[in-house]
Each structure stands twice: as C-alpha cells, then as structure tokens.
Amino acid sequence: MMQKMYDWVDERLNITPMWRDLADHEVPEHVNPAHHFSAFVYCFGGLTFFITVIQILSGMFLTMYYVPDVINAYESVKYLQNEVAFGVIVRGMHHWGASLVIVMMFLHTLRVFFTGAYKKPRELNWVVGVLIFFVMLGLGFTGYLLPWDNTAYFATKVGVQIADSVPFIGPYVKTLLTGGDILGAQTLTRFFAIHVFFLPGALLGLLGAHFVMIRSQGISGPL
Ligand code: HEM
C-alpha cells in the first residue's frame, strides 16, 4: 500500500533522486564520534538547528493565545500558562529553548573558529553566520519584552538605553525600536512584529544560504 502510494507520487514528481541525495550523503570520518570522540563538537550546528525548529513550532502555538497589546499581553500569557492545556509546556519549551539555542549557537561558533572552518573557501558562510548570530540575539531581545511584566519592561528599558548611547546612530536606533520617546504601546507592537515576522523571515533566508553553502562546499577537513 505504502509502496504503491510512493510509486504514484514518484512517477509524477521524481522524488527518489532528491531524497537519495540527502539519505546517501556520506559523513567524513573526522566528524564521526564513533571514530574520534572529540568529533562530537561537530554536533553543535545540528543541535542549534534542532532547537531553532522547536522555537519556531512552539512560537507558532504561543501566537494562538498571545495578545500583543499593553492591556492584554500579560493576562494572555498568564492565561496560556495557567489555564490552557499544555500551555505551560509549550511556553516552557519556548522560554528555556531561547537560552539553550544561544548556548548551542555559541558552542557551534567556537567549533567553527577553533577548527579554522571559517578559512577559504568558507569566509562567506562565516559572514552569513555572523548575521545569523545578530538575528538570534535580536530574537532573544525582542521576545523578552512580550510578556509585558516588570522584569521584561525594565530589562528592555536598559537595553534600549544602551542602544541610545551608541554615538551618532544611537537615537535613531532607539526611535526605530520604541516607535516614540517612551517605551510603551508602540514599542510592544513593534517588538511583536519584529519578533514574529521580520527576524524569523530573515533567519529562514540566512539559514537557507548557510545550508546551501555547507552542502556545496562540504564540511571542512580534519585539523
Ligand atoms: C541558528 C544558528 C546556526 C545554525 C542552525 C547553524 C547550523 C550549521 C550546521 C548544521 C553546520 C554543519 C556543520 C556543523 O554542524 O558543525 C554549520 C556549519 C558552519 N557554520 Fe553554522 N549554524 C548557525 C550559526 C552559525 C554562526 C553564528 C556561525 C559563525 C559566526 C556559523 C558558521 C558556520 C561555518 C563557517 C560552517 C562551515 C563549517 C565547516 O565546514 O566545518 N554558523 N552550521
């Protein structure tokens, strides 16, 4: 039955070469921990990706309850956390995952740095990685405000003040982020838009470029 269905789809879309290309792709010996234990450092990119997928999925479910305005934001999070079935788990995954993904990304960056994997011909992928790094930090910063509790409000206020103190461009960055002079209703709407549309969109594009380059260049050689 399954085989028949597969053959039906394959006859029309010719999917076999595509998935064989993925499934038969061989991993070099120096990145296989079964051969050299220290090769486990190569897992961090994949782990970062795994948690990123969890963040996207759990975040999509959070938006089914979250209300992005200053009157309702806090209550909507409280309701999700305390009343909605599995709400505490989904929110917990997104909350802890946000920190874990930064840790994993940092370890991945260290692996790339200390194995010299940023060198020719992978310089461009390093640059894409740096952009991804900032996008991920931006996601953490904008997401932190969304529950609209005191910790979120005052932590973000400090963050915005730091941005404001940057010479020349600081005040513009502040206005762009807050949408006005104070951290208020406009700011929450902006942070929400940036957190769920702008940065995830940028991230998907950058990750696509990251993976296309990894596939076309192959993983870097042994030390
Ligand atoms: C969401 C964040 C990121 C994800 C999901 C990700 C994912 C991956 C994956 C799966 C690989 C394959 C090799 C491995 O797993 O170690 C890889 C390789 C690579 N990554 Fe990332 N990465 C991210 C962020 C970064 C950052 C921040 C940098 C550097 C600033 C970076 C630079 C590179 C480079 C240069 C390679 C090629 C390494 C080689 O060929 O040995 N990546 N990335």
Side-chain angles (χ1 to χ4, degrees), residues 45 48-49 52-53 56 125 128 132 136 200-214:
T48 313
F49 182 61
T52 303
V53 171
I56 293 170
N125 216 6
V128 168
I132 293 177
M136 296 295 277
L203 183 67
L204 289 183
L206 289 168
L207 277 182
H210 205 56
F211 293 150
V212 165
M213 279 194 256
I214 293 165

mmCIF file of all heavy atoms in Angstrom, residues 45 48-49 52-53 56 125 128 132 136 200-214:
data_model
loop_
_atom_site.group_PDB
_atom_site.id
_atom_site.type_symbol
_atom_site.label_atom_id
_atom_site.label_comp_id
_atom_site.label_asym_id
_atom_site.label_seq_id
_atom_site.Cartn_x
_atom_site.Cartn_y
_atom_site.Cartn_z
ATOM 1 N N GLY A 45 26.150 22.514 15.431
ATOM 2 C CA GLY A 45 25.372 23.182 14.378
ATOM 3 C C GLY A 45 24.004 22.512 14.232
ATOM 4 O O GLY A 45 22.973 23.190 14.197
ATOM 5 N N THR A 48 21.841 23.275 17.200
ATOM 6 C CA THR A 48 21.311 24.641 17.111
ATOM 7 C C THR A 48 20.102 24.655 16.185
ATOM 8 O O THR A 48 19.073 25.264 16.491
ATOM 9 C CB THR A 48 22.379 25.608 16.555
ATOM 10 O OG1 THR A 48 23.601 25.393 17.234
ATOM 11 C CG2 THR A 48 21.952 27.056 16.721
ATOM 12 N N PHE A 49 20.223 23.940 15.073
ATOM 13 C CA PHE A 49 19.110 23.895 14.113
ATOM 14 C C PHE A 49 17.892 23.211 14.735
ATOM 15 O O PHE A 49 16.755 23.688 14.600
ATOM 16 C CB PHE A 49 19.538 23.186 12.826
ATOM 17 C CG PHE A 49 18.455 23.146 11.794
ATOM 18 C CD1 PHE A 49 17.937 24.325 11.282
ATOM 19 C CD2 PHE A 49 17.937 21.939 11.351
ATOM 20 C CE1 PHE A 49 16.909 24.310 10.333
ATOM 21 C CE2 PHE A 49 16.916 21.912 10.405
ATOM 22 C CZ PHE A 49 16.407 23.088 9.905
ATOM 23 N N THR A 52 16.230 25.508 17.030
ATOM 24 C CA THR A 52 15.594 26.575 16.253
ATOM 25 C C THR A 52 14.235 26.112 15.727
ATOM 26 O O THR A 52 13.251 26.858 15.781
ATOM 27 C CB THR A 52 16.502 27.000 15.077
ATOM 28 O OG1 THR A 52 17.763 27.406 15.605
ATOM 29 C CG2 THR A 52 15.898 28.148 14.289
ATOM 30 N N VAL A 53 14.170 24.866 15.248
ATOM 31 C CA VAL A 53 12.893 24.329 14.755
ATOM 32 C C VAL A 53 11.881 24.270 15.904
ATOM 33 O O VAL A 53 10.716 24.662 15.752
ATOM 34 C CB VAL A 53 13.092 22.926 14.114
ATOM 35 C CG1 VAL A 53 11.746 22.280 13.803
ATOM 36 C CG2 VAL A 53 13.932 23.040 12.849
ATOM 37 N N ILE A 56 10.546 27.729 16.547
ATOM 38 C CA ILE A 56 9.570 28.178 15.549
ATOM 39 C C ILE A 56 8.209 27.523 15.809
ATOM 40 O O ILE A 56 7.174 28.189 15.834
ATOM 41 C CB ILE A 56 10.077 27.869 14.122
ATOM 42 C CG1 ILE A 56 11.308 28.735 13.817
ATOM 43 C CG2 ILE A 56 8.981 28.119 13.086
ATOM 44 C CD1 ILE A 56 12.046 28.379 12.544
ATOM 45 N N ASN A 125 30.398 31.932 4.323
ATOM 46 C CA ASN A 125 29.483 31.265 5.247
ATOM 47 C C ASN A 125 29.717 31.757 6.675
ATOM 48 O O ASN A 125 28.789 31.806 7.481
ATOM 49 C CB ASN A 125 29.628 29.745 5.156
ATOM 50 C CG ASN A 125 28.282 29.060 5.336
ATOM 51 O OD1 ASN A 125 27.251 29.728 5.419
ATOM 52 N ND2 ASN A 125 28.294 27.745 5.410
ATOM 53 N N VAL A 128 27.751 34.971 6.775
ATOM 54 C CA VAL A 128 26.329 34.649 6.948
ATOM 55 C C VAL A 128 26.084 34.237 8.398
ATOM 56 O O VAL A 128 25.100 34.638 9.029
ATOM 57 C CB VAL A 128 25.898 33.526 5.967
ATOM 58 C CG1 VAL A 128 24.525 32.986 6.318
ATOM 59 C CG2 VAL A 128 25.898 34.041 4.543
ATOM 60 N N ILE A 132 23.493 35.654 11.164
ATOM 61 C CA ILE A 132 22.574 34.786 11.907
ATOM 62 C C ILE A 132 22.711 35.051 13.406
ATOM 63 O O ILE A 132 21.723 35.140 14.128
ATOM 64 C CB ILE A 132 22.864 33.290 11.607
ATOM 65 C CG1 ILE A 132 22.535 32.945 10.161
ATOM 66 C CG2 ILE A 132 22.069 32.398 12.545
ATOM 67 C CD1 ILE A 132 22.864 31.515 9.762
ATOM 68 N N MET A 136 19.705 36.094 15.866
ATOM 69 C CA MET A 136 19.309 35.283 17.025
ATOM 70 C C MET A 136 19.306 36.131 18.300
ATOM 71 O O MET A 136 18.407 36.010 19.136
ATOM 72 C CB MET A 136 20.252 34.087 17.196
ATOM 73 C CG MET A 136 20.220 33.095 16.064
ATOM 74 S SD MET A 136 18.645 32.256 15.897
ATOM 75 C CE MET A 136 18.821 30.972 17.092
ATOM 76 N N PRO A 200 12.296 36.252 12.108
ATOM 77 C CA PRO A 200 12.192 34.871 11.620
ATOM 78 C C PRO A 200 12.325 34.783 10.102
ATOM 79 O O PRO A 200 12.936 33.856 9.579
ATOM 80 C CB PRO A 200 10.797 34.422 12.086
ATOM 81 C CG PRO A 200 10.527 35.263 13.272
ATOM 82 C CD PRO A 200 11.148 36.607 12.964
ATOM 83 N N GLY A 201 11.754 35.766 9.381
ATOM 84 C CA GLY A 201 11.892 35.785 7.917
ATOM 85 C C GLY A 201 13.346 35.875 7.517
ATOM 86 O O GLY A 201 13.835 35.114 6.670
ATOM 87 N N ALA A 202 14.067 36.820 8.153
ATOM 88 C CA ALA A 202 15.496 36.978 7.850
ATOM 89 C C ALA A 202 16.249 35.689 8.194
ATOM 90 O O ALA A 202 17.122 35.235 7.441
ATOM 91 C CB ALA A 202 16.074 38.157 8.640
ATOM 92 N N LEU A 203 15.880 35.096 9.334
ATOM 93 C CA LEU A 203 16.579 33.878 9.776
ATOM 94 C C LEU A 203 16.414 32.747 8.766
ATOM 95 O O LEU A 203 17.395 32.068 8.422
ATOM 96 C CB LEU A 203 16.047 33.442 11.156
ATOM 97 C CG LEU A 203 16.741 32.221 11.750
ATOM 98 C CD1 LEU A 203 18.184 32.543 12.102
ATOM 99 C CD2 LEU A 203 16.007 31.710 12.990
ATOM 100 N N LEU A 204 15.173 32.550 8.268
ATOM 101 C CA LEU A 204 14.952 31.459 7.320
ATOM 102 C C LEU A 204 15.795 31.656 6.056
ATOM 103 O O LEU A 204 16.396 30.709 5.549
ATOM 104 C CB LEU A 204 13.465 31.333 6.979
ATOM 105 C CG LEU A 204 12.588 30.792 8.114
ATOM 106 C CD1 LEU A 204 11.143 30.643 7.668
ATOM 107 C CD2 LEU A 204 13.104 29.444 8.633
ATOM 108 N N GLY A 205 15.837 32.889 5.562
ATOM 109 C CA GLY A 205 16.649 33.172 4.375
ATOM 110 C C GLY A 205 18.123 32.895 4.626
ATOM 111 O O GLY A 205 18.803 32.235 3.823
ATOM 112 N N LEU A 206 18.612 33.375 5.765
ATOM 113 C CA LEU A 206 20.033 33.206 6.078
ATOM 114 C C LEU A 206 20.381 31.733 6.303
ATOM 115 O O LEU A 206 21.429 31.252 5.854
ATOM 116 C CB LEU A 206 20.394 34.024 7.323
ATOM 117 C CG LEU A 206 20.417 35.551 7.129
ATOM 118 C CD1 LEU A 206 20.482 36.258 8.466
ATOM 119 C CD2 LEU A 206 21.606 35.950 6.255
ATOM 120 N N LEU A 207 19.483 31.006 7.000
ATOM 121 C CA LEU A 207 19.754 29.579 7.232
ATOM 122 C C LEU A 207 19.768 28.815 5.909
ATOM 123 O O LEU A 207 20.583 27.906 5.721
ATOM 124 C CB LEU A 207 18.708 28.975 8.177
ATOM 125 C CG LEU A 207 18.952 29.176 9.668
ATOM 126 C CD1 LEU A 207 17.856 28.489 10.475
ATOM 127 C CD2 LEU A 207 20.320 28.658 10.099
ATOM 128 N N GLY A 208 18.860 29.198 4.987
ATOM 129 C CA GLY A 208 18.854 28.575 3.661
ATOM 130 C C GLY A 208 20.216 28.745 2.999
ATOM 131 O O GLY A 208 20.809 27.779 2.512
ATOM 132 N N ALA A 209 20.725 29.988 3.026
ATOM 133 C CA ALA A 209 22.042 30.264 2.418
ATOM 134 C C ALA A 209 23.129 29.459 3.136
ATOM 135 O O ALA A 209 24.026 28.885 2.497
ATOM 136 C CB ALA A 209 22.342 31.760 2.500
ATOM 137 N N HIS A 210 23.046 29.409 4.485
ATOM 138 C CA HIS A 210 24.022 28.667 5.294
ATOM 139 C C HIS A 210 24.092 27.205 4.842
ATOM 140 O O HIS A 210 25.167 26.677 4.581
ATOM 141 C CB HIS A 210 23.567 28.745 6.752
ATOM 142 C CG HIS A 210 24.661 28.575 7.765
ATOM 143 N ND1 HIS A 210 25.785 29.360 7.788
ATOM 144 C CD2 HIS A 210 24.790 27.719 8.823
ATOM 145 C CE1 HIS A 210 26.554 28.991 8.807
ATOM 146 N NE2 HIS A 210 25.984 27.987 9.446
ATOM 147 N N PHE A 211 22.919 26.577 4.697
ATOM 148 C CA PHE A 211 22.880 25.147 4.381
ATOM 149 C C PHE A 211 23.266 24.876 2.923
ATOM 150 O O PHE A 211 23.928 23.877 2.640
ATOM 151 C CB PHE A 211 21.498 24.559 4.701
ATOM 152 C CG PHE A 211 21.207 24.544 6.184
ATOM 153 C CD1 PHE A 211 19.908 24.658 6.669
ATOM 154 C CD2 PHE A 211 22.236 24.421 7.106
ATOM 155 C CE1 PHE A 211 19.648 24.649 8.036
ATOM 156 C CE2 PHE A 211 21.990 24.414 8.486
ATOM 157 C CZ PHE A 211 20.689 24.526 8.947
ATOM 158 N N VAL A 212 22.849 25.762 2.011
ATOM 159 C CA VAL A 212 23.239 25.581 0.605
ATOM 160 C C VAL A 212 24.763 25.616 0.503
ATOM 161 O O VAL A 212 25.384 24.779 -0.170
ATOM 162 C CB VAL A 212 22.594 26.670 -0.294
ATOM 163 C CG1 VAL A 212 23.272 26.713 -1.660
ATOM 164 C CG2 VAL A 212 21.095 26.410 -0.449
ATOM 165 N N MET A 213 25.391 26.556 1.215
ATOM 166 C CA MET A 213 26.859 26.653 1.164
ATOM 167 C C MET A 213 27.526 25.434 1.792
ATOM 168 O O MET A 213 28.522 24.927 1.279
ATOM 169 C CB MET A 213 27.329 27.932 1.853
ATOM 170 C CG MET A 213 27.201 29.143 0.959
ATOM 171 S SD MET A 213 28.110 30.534 1.606
ATOM 172 C CE MET A 213 26.793 31.507 2.241
ATOM 173 N N ILE A 214 26.963 24.945 2.917
ATOM 174 C CA ILE A 214 27.556 23.766 3.564
ATOM 175 C C ILE A 214 27.501 22.572 2.604
ATOM 176 O O ILE A 214 28.470 21.842 2.441
ATOM 177 C CB ILE A 214 26.804 23.425 4.879
ATOM 178 C CG1 ILE A 214 27.019 24.525 5.913
ATOM 179 C CG2 ILE A 214 27.299 22.087 5.440
ATOM 180 C CD1 ILE A 214 26.054 24.472 7.078
#
